[in-house]
Amino acid sequence: MTPQRQLVLDAVSELGHATPEAVCTRVQETAPAVNITTVYRTLDLLEQLGVVKHTHLGHGAPTYATSEHEHVHLVCHHCGRVDEIEADALDDLAAALRRSHGFRLDATHVALSGACRDCADRADAELAEEVAP
């Protein structure tokens, strides 16, 4: 593990969920010569080694977290809020997929898109107003 790679891993650990750009910014606080290409290559290598995982939380860059950071992301496509739930919340789905398709779900690498409680409540209230006489 080179010092630069360790800095990238430390940044991912400290930031929790981090885009490559956020990791680069954090690393450059200590090592200004490290560039975004080095960060991307290092994240790719660390993922191949099973040390970090990436998840796409929307249309932007992937976010990275350490491998022991296992959960499912709930991404609101209205306000962008991201909540986390335990991966075992998808156990029933995983079992059904295994039975019906022989598919082994890795629920630690999942982002589900929908509407958070606040946005869903707001949409329901707006719909109720439209329907009301």
Side-chain angles (χ1 to χ4, degrees):
M1 179 79 80
T2 66
Q4 290 177 334
R5 289 176 181 163
Q6 187 63 53
L7 286 171
V8 170
L9 179 57
D10 291 346
V12 171
S13 296
E14 292 165 10
L15 295 170
H17 296 104
T19 63
E21 290 76 13
V23 171
C24 189
T25 299
R26 176 62 64 93
V27 168
Q28 287 175 340
E29 292 171 3
T30 305
V34 174
N35 62 38
I36 192 68
T37 302
T38 300
V39 170
Y40 270 102
R41 288 180 181 153
T42 301
L43 289 169
D44 186 50
L45 174 66
L46 293 173
E47 187 163 24
Q48 289 175 27
L49 295 172
V51 179
V52 301
K53 288 186 175 187
H54 80 276
T55 304
H56 293 274
L57 299 180
H59 295 294
T63 61
Y64 288 81
T66 57
S67 291
E68 62 267 359
H69 195 74
E70 296 184 346
H71 52 262
V72 175
H73 300 92
L74 305 176
V75 182
C76 180
H77 54 78
H78 297 287
C79 70
R81 175 178 164 175
V82 178
D83 290 319
E84 299 173 357
I85 61 171
E86 294 298 319
D88 62 6
L90 297 182
D91 284 352
D92 289 344
L93 173 62
L97 290 171
R98 177 74 177 182
R99 278 190 312 275
S100 64
H101 300 287
F103 185 81
R104 292 181 189 216
L105 178 66
D106 176 6
T108 64
H109 193 73
V110 173
L112 300 175
S113 180
C116 70
R117 177 176 294 150
D118 293 341
C119 290
D121 289 348
R122 191 173 310 112
D124 289 345
E126 291 171 2
L127 182 60
E129 287 177 13
E130 290 175 11
V131 175

